Amino acid sequence: MDGAYLAQQILNGLILGSMYALVAVGFSMIYGIINLINFAHGDIVMIGAFSTLALLAVLGLPLWVVAPGVVAVGALCGLVIERAAFRPMRGAPQVTGFIASLGVSIMIQNLGILTVTAQPRNFAFPHYMLEAVPVFGFEIQVVNICIMLAAPLLVLGLLFVVHRTRLGVAMRATAENLDVARLMGVNINRTIAATFALGSALAGAAGLMWGGKFGQIDPLMGFLPGLKAFVAAVIGGVGSIPGAILGGYVLGLAEVLFVGLLPPVYSSYRDAFVFGLLILILLITPNGILGKNTEERA
Amino acid sequence: MTAERKRLLFLALAGLALTAVMQAVFDDYLRTMACFVGIFIILAASLNFTNGFAGLFSLGHPAFMAIGGYVAALLTFNPEMKPLFLPDLPEWLMSLHLPFLPALLAGGAAAALTATVVGAAVLRLRGHYLAVATMGFLIIVQVLITNMEPYTRGPLGLNGLDALTDLWWVYAWVLVTLYACWKIKFSSYGRMLQSVRENELAAACLGTNLFHARLAALVIGAFFAGVAGGLWGHLVTALTPVSFSLALAFSIVVMVVVGGTGSITGAVVGAVIFSCITELFRPLEENYSVYGVGEILMALVLILILVYRPQGIFGSREPDWLAPQTNRS
């Protein structure tokens, strides 16, 4: 095995990791603020991918208009889902919200099948995005460069919101203690809705990237990335934004290296490896690498 | 004979009569549907055992089904066909041919054994972390089935199983499952399980071995799921890894939640309602190609139930006319 091959694999891992990190951050934020494991989060990735396709191919808009549009669509979906499904059952036991989110996920997937059929569709990215350009002696597609740059930028933007704005203060206060935050005059409903909107916006952006990278989308495509983003969040420590970013990159690298460095017969065991890793981490250190020490396991 | 026994016996006989009527009146399609409903009753009741009695929220139920289904299928598969379908089977499996009942029991036992091993590891987790770990287990089992081609034919799936499952087999197992659940629920052991669900700390203080109680709940639930998998395989006469998906796990959870977590009657009612709804929507979906409507409706009902009646139809009780003396709590 030569160095170039390894470097290529690491690069692929970083690309995949960027997308996992984007989805995992939203997952973690929502968990952090209302202790909800939101399974529908992955399906926003699917919605993001399909709205990209609609805006690009059907309306023929240029990519620089489409990208913010898709982010907005993601945010809107987050708002709607929170309002319709999760706000009515706030305060119910954690497991209730978890089951409800599975319900929402199944509903979104089947609404997708109903409206655009289960048929996979080719994703039409403009040609200049798919060209390979040489960077430091590697051939990298423009779309992959964009993913590697855009994902950290979006996450930085999020960190700015969380740490430098009034909304961010409200979010962190609510995550710390919802009741006390309310007593301190924080508008809980607005803060939680904003968290869903922000997290889902990133998931929408991830959908655009996912479609661009893999070239094919279908209504069920969000499910597995959603689950894996959750694994990423667990690796980093659910509830911690830096943890989710770290977890996303660790998982992306681990997955790509698992496939790339082991003999090809093992590559079909990739998902078993990922979820085995999940169980292992839950057993060894349920709080993840950067997670806070909480009682949420109980 | 106590009043409770009389009622249970009456119900069992009523079920027997219903089965006989269905056997006589229904055509093949309706009989198959009735078998599916019965299998879902077994699944919902067995998940209710794990989830409802002991409060272990498991999404791994289809994994136990799959294990039971494949083991039973390998044991009943026609030995003359085996070399054709599964040329790489080990010698002892190649020649092994068992009748249906031992095959089903072996399937259930294999599922229970797996549950013992898996449970020993993941039962340290609680709440939705346990749910996520069992979901991971389900995906791992799916991947393993897809890749263990010598035994499972991988993604192609095993087909050409003998159609051994009929209404009588399903009825017998529904009876066994429900009776076992009922007896355990209203035994001191069942109360112990429920005390674990209600308050672990208090249960532990009263001398309950939490780990053993939780493991037992998982293993017994897995056994019946394994049997249901075997019945399923020999009803559809085919097994594929994708049949045992998270969507299936979700359906069973919905049945339990809607019926009322912890209620056996609830699990039965939930299973009947939901398998019928899905089945009623299937022709509609195919005729008008509106695929997914059944699932959407199911998810909608679930969310509405979670919002407006989170305890489900029956709560964790049984209806008063069935078990009047046990609802005093």
Side-chain angles (χ1 to χ4, degrees):
Chain A
M1 185 172 324
D2 54 82
Y5 178 75
L6 188 65
Q8 186 71 51
Q9 296 298 326
I10 289 176
L11 201 66
N12 287 338
L14 287 176
I15 297 165
L16 194 61
S18 305
M19 293 190 286
Y20 285 158
L22 270 187
V23 188
V25 163
F27 223 119
S28 236
M29 282 171 67
I30 292 169
Y31 184 87
I33 201 157
I34 50 172
N35 284 340
L36 167 75
I37 293 188
N38 178 16
F39 260 93
H41 197 63
D43 296 297
I44 310 242
V45 176
M46 179 272 288
I47 296 179
F50 271 95
S51 37
T52 311
L53 185 68
L55 295 174
L56 267 183
V58 182
L59 295 182
L61 297 172
L63 200 55
W64 58 271
V65 181
V66 170
V70 169
V71 171
V73 169
L76 192 67
C77 289
L79 287 176
V80 171
I81 292 172
E82 194 271 335
R83 187 68 194 85
F86 297 124
R87 191 175 299 181
M89 54 185 84
R90 195 176 299 158
Q94 287 179 16
V95 170
T96 309
F98 178 80
I99 300 175
S101 80
L102 271 167
V104 173
S105 170
I106 300 254
M107 196 134 101
I108 297 178
Q109 287 174 15
N110 284 286
L111 280 173
I113 292 176
L114 198 63
T115 47
V116 296
T117 77
Q119 209 84 176
R121 277 153 202 267
N122 287 326
F123 199 78
F125 245 38
H127 279 296
Y128 62 85
M129 291 299 281
L130 301 177
E131 267 168 41
V133 293
V135 181
F136 302 124
F138 296 107
E139 295 273 302
I140 315 176
Q141 281 187 328
V142 178
V143 55
N144 289 337
I145 299 175
C146 291
I147 291 173
M148 275 193 295
L149 294 177
L153 276 179
L154 285 171
V155 170
L156 280 178
L158 177 79
L159 285 176
F160 176 81
V161 171
V162 172
H163 288 283
R164 291 282 181 274
T165 62
R166 277 184 73 88
L167 174 65
V169 175
M171 282 164 65
R172 283 180 291 144
T174 311
E176 200 64 47
N177 189 325
L178 195 135
D179 292 320
V180 176
R182 184 184 286 145
L183 289 176
M184 294 295 132
V186 174
N187 185 336
I188 299 291
N189 282 340
R190 227 172 53 201
T191 311
I192 293 175
T195 310
F196 267 84
L198 275 176
S200 307
L202 296 189
L208 183 152
M209 298 177 186
W210 198 274
K213 176 168 168 51
F214 294 106
Q216 222 182 32
I217 59 178
D218 66 78
L220 306 180
M221 63 172 272
F223 182 66
L224 208 54
L227 287 188
K228 287 186 181 168
F230 171 68
V231 179
V234 171
I235 292 176
V238 195
S240 149
I241 296 179
I245 301 165
L246 182 69
Y249 283 106
V250 167
L251 183 69
L253 281 170
E255 196 182 320
V256 167
L257 292 179
F258 179 84
V259 176
L261 299 186
L262 289 177
V265 268
Y266 293 110
S267 56
S268 49
Y269 287 94
R270 183 179 61 187
D271 293 342
F273 163 73
V274 169
F275 289 97
L277 197 66
L278 167 77
I279 294 178
L280 207 65
I281 289 179
L282 282 177
L283 292 176
I284 298 170
T285 159
N287 295 318
I289 306 173
L290 297 178
K292 283 176 292 187
N293 201 14
T294 55
E295 293 298 308
E296 303 311 345
R297 265 200 307 157
Chain B
M1 194 181 260
T2 63
E4 185 199 1
R5 277 224 181 126
K6 260 184 204 154
R7 288 194 190 92
L8 290 183
L9 191 67
F10 169 75
L11 271 185
L13 289 175
L16 193 68
L18 185 67
T19 313
V21 170
M22 288 194 289
Q23 182 72 32
V25 177
F26 282 4
D27 58 8
D28 271 348
Y29 172 77
L30 284 177
R31 254 183 244 152
T32 309
M33 284 312 108
C35 285
F36 273 123
V37 173
I39 291 173
F40 272 113
I41 291 177
I42 301 174
L43 287 170
S46 61
L47 182 66
N48 184 46
F49 197 97
T50 309
N51 188 349
F53 293 0
L56 303 174
F57 184 33
S58 161
L59 286 174
H61 226 51
F64 299 126
M65 266 181 88
I67 292 166
Y70 272 96
V71 167
L74 282 174
L75 294 175
T76 63
F77 209 71
N78 186 347
E80 284 161 25
M81 304 284 279
K82 268 183 185 170
L84 216 64
F85 278 83
L86 298 157
D88 299 324
L89 270 188
E91 193 48 46
W92 63 276
L93 255 179
M94 197 67 102
S95 52
L96 199 58
H97 186 66
L98 290 183
F100 197 30
L101 182 62
L104 282 178
L105 290 173
L113 192 68
T114 318
T116 317
V117 176
V118 174
V122 300
L123 282 180
R124 288 197 292 152
L125 301 167
R126 306 270 190 280
H128 52 203
Y129 279 86
L130 177 65
V132 167
T134 50
M135 183 198 71
F137 163 66
L138 168 61
I139 292 179
I140 293 172
V141 166
Q142 266 189 312
V143 172
L144 290 182
I145 291 176
T146 314
N147 285 288
M148 283 168 61
E149 298 201 357
Y151 297 91
T152 63
R153 283 182 86 218
L156 282 176
L158 265 182
N159 51 5
L161 306 185
D162 294 333
L164 297 170
T165 302
D166 60 20
L167 271 172
W168 299 112
W169 276 107
V170 173
Y171 173 68
W173 276 107
V174 166
L175 205 62
V176 171
T177 311
L178 294 182
Y179 187 70
C181 288
W182 191 274
K183 282 318 263 187
I184 294 176
K185 180 173 182 180
F186 295 117
S187 66
S188 65
Y189 182 70
R191 285 176 221 283
M192 183 188 87
L193 283 183
Q194 290 169 73
S195 75
V196 172
R197 179 190 68 193
E198 294 303 328
N199 190 330
E200 281 195 353
L201 198 61
C205 290
L206 292 172
T208 305
N209 184 329
L210 293 180
F211 180 72
H212 283 174
R214 292 154 64 92
L215 190 64
L218 186 73
V219 168
I220 297 173
F223 172 79
F224 287 113
V227 171
L231 289 170
W232 171 293
H234 291 87
L235 178 65
V236 187
T237 69
L239 291 165
T240 53
V242 286
S243 320
F244 305 103
S245 60
L246 194 61
L248 182 60
F250 177 72
S251 310
I252 310 171
V253 168
V254 173
M255 291 168 192
V256 172
V257 170
V258 167
T261 319
S263 166
I264 299 166
T265 323
V268 174
V269 171
V272 172
I273 292 178
F274 275 95
S275 34
C276 288
I277 287 184
T278 328
E279 210 37 59
L280 284 177
F281 271 90
R282 203 184 301 273
L284 188 83
E285 290 184 352
E286 278 163 14
N287 289 343
Y288 299 94
S289 48
V290 284
Y291 295 98
V293 173
E295 279 83 357
I296 294 172
L297 196 76
M298 199 153 125
L300 204 62
V301 170
L302 173 80
I303 292 169
L304 289 177
I305 291 250
L306 287 177
V307 171
Y308 294 107
R309 196 177 162 80
Q311 73 275 34
I313 302 176
F314 290 93
S316 65
R317 300 153 47 116
E318 308 302 334
D320 283 339
W321 57 269
L322 218 98
Q325 76 279 35
T326 49
N327 275 334
R328 268 175 299 176
S329 55

